[in-house]
Each structure stands twice: as structure tokens, then as C-alpha cells.
Amino acid sequence: MSIQTRRERERAEREQLIVKAARELAEAEGWDAVTTRRLAAEIEYSQPVLYSHFKGKTAIMAAVAVEGCAELARELREARAGATGTRESLAAIGTAYTAFARRRPALYDAMFTHAVGLPFATPEAPPALQEAFGELLSAVHPVTAPGEDPGLLTETYWACLHGLTTLMRSGRLPEQAHDQRLQLLIDHFAAGAEAG
């Protein structure tokens, strides 16, 4: 192995160590606890080493968000693969999405709540973001009416899932009715496909 290859591998390993430490600290104590000083202490490197990888906390959160979107895309893909029809696919995606958000609240916040400077809904969006949206699109596309934009309909479904999740997590919607709200959403989206 060349010296350059070894350095690149070590750099990638340090970068992954920083992202992992940020995720763990955020899940344990929230994103306010994630500071460059605290991360440097957690990974046992100096702050300048940390800054040689990331410009600051926002850049670290962006890296966490991209990693999270890749994980979400995998979970949505697995959920959709086990579904046998339009309604079942929408239900599987909705259930997997909300379960992901509930299981990993700090990761979800980095992905979809905090401003992290990632380009969403553009061709410049990182592949992981496009893949996660693509899984949602695959479930919603069959319910798109003629002349309707499947991307906009998918954004609407995603916004509904995000809203349900966020309002429930913040205590504004009672958690015990989550399954019924999710079923209402799926019923209304699937109704178009069943009518056609």
C-alpha cells in the first residue's frame, strides 16, 4: 500500500470517527451538546485535526444527515420490497419512515429539522438524499393521477409523514393515535389509485 493510499484511508477513518462520535453524542445528549471542543475530546484528537476534516458543527451535521439519508433509503427500500401492492407499499413506507424518525430522533433532526446547508430537491443533492426521496417516489408514483406531477405528490406525502412525526415527537399530537393518523393518510393517498 502506498503512503498516499494509507493517508487517504486514515483520513477517511478519522472522518468516520468524528461523524460516529457526533451521532452518538447527539443521540445521548442532543445536538446542543455537540461542540467541536467536545468532539475533539471524545475522539482524542485536537480541534485543529477536527477542523481539517470539517469546517464546523454544521458541516459535521451535514455529514451525519447524508449518512442518515443513506440508512433511511435502505430501510425504505426493504419495507417497500416486502409490500405487495400500492396500498401496502404506501403503508410500508409510511410505517418505516415514522419508525426511523422515532427510533433515531437526533439523526432525524440533523436530516430534516436543522439547517445543515445540504441542497435538497436539486440535481446537486448528494446521492443518499436522492435515493431516500426515490424510495418515497417509488411508493407514491402509482397513485399519481394523469397530468399530476409525481414529484410534487411525493413531496406532499413526505411533508405529511414529516408533520405527523414532528408534531407527535413534540407532544402536539397524542402518540396513541399515531397508527390511526397514518392509516388515514395512506387511505387518502391510495384512494386515487383504487378509483382509477
Side-chain angles (χ1 to χ4, degrees):
M1 176 184 304
S2 72
I3 293 174
Q4 179 66 24
T5 303
R6 182 174 50 84
R7 284 184 182 155
E8 288 171 4
R9 188 191 74 225
E10 289 171 353
R11 180 171 177 77
E13 288 170 356
R14 270 193 314 272
E15 197 166 289
Q16 187 55 44
L17 182 65
I18 294 165
V19 169
K20 181 177 185 268
R23 281 182 67 166
E24 289 173 355
L25 187 55
E27 288 295 351
E29 299 179 35
W31 280 107
D32 288 342
V34 180
T35 64
T36 53
R37 176 174 290 161
R38 182 94 183 266
L39 281 176
E42 291 283 328
I43 64 171
E44 298 178 347
Y45 281 100
S46 68
Q47 280 185 279
V49 169
L50 194 133
Y51 281 114
S52 74
H53 289 274
F54 297 100
K55 290 182 181 179
K57 180 178 174 176
T58 301
I60 294 167
M61 289 175 71
V64 168
V66 169
E67 192 175 89
C69 285
E71 290 173 24
L72 177 61
R74 280 191 299 275
E75 290 188 24
L76 295 178
R77 189 175 309 112
E78 289 171 10
R80 200 170 51 78
T84 58
T86 301
R87 177 182 292 276
E88 292 78 13
S89 183
L90 283 169
I93 288 285
T95 300
Y97 183 95
T98 56
F100 180 93
R102 293 166 84 182
R103 198 170 59 252
R104 296 181 175 105
L107 177 58
Y108 186 83
D109 287 344
M111 294 162 61
F112 301 125
T113 303
H114 295 294
V116 294
L118 289 172
F120 280 84
T122 68
E124 294 78 32
L129 279 64
Q130 294 181 31
E131 289 170 28
F133 185 78
E135 290 303 320
L136 291 167
L137 179 64
S138 294
V140 174
H141 194 274
V143 303
T144 306
E148 201 170 36
D149 182 338
L152 287 177
L153 189 61
T154 302
E155 289 171 357
T156 303
Y157 186 66
W158 176 26
C160 291
L161 292 174
H162 176 72
L164 288 174
T165 300
T166 302
L167 290 169
M168 184 180 57
R169 282 180 48 208
S170 66
R172 276 124 177 125
L173 291 177
E175 190 165 337
Q176 64 270 18
H178 171 71
D179 291 338
Q180 290 130 317
R181 284 189 293 272
L182 189 57
Q183 190 59 51
L184 283 169
L185 175 64
I186 292 158
D187 288 347
H188 281 274
F189 266 80
E194 292 166 355

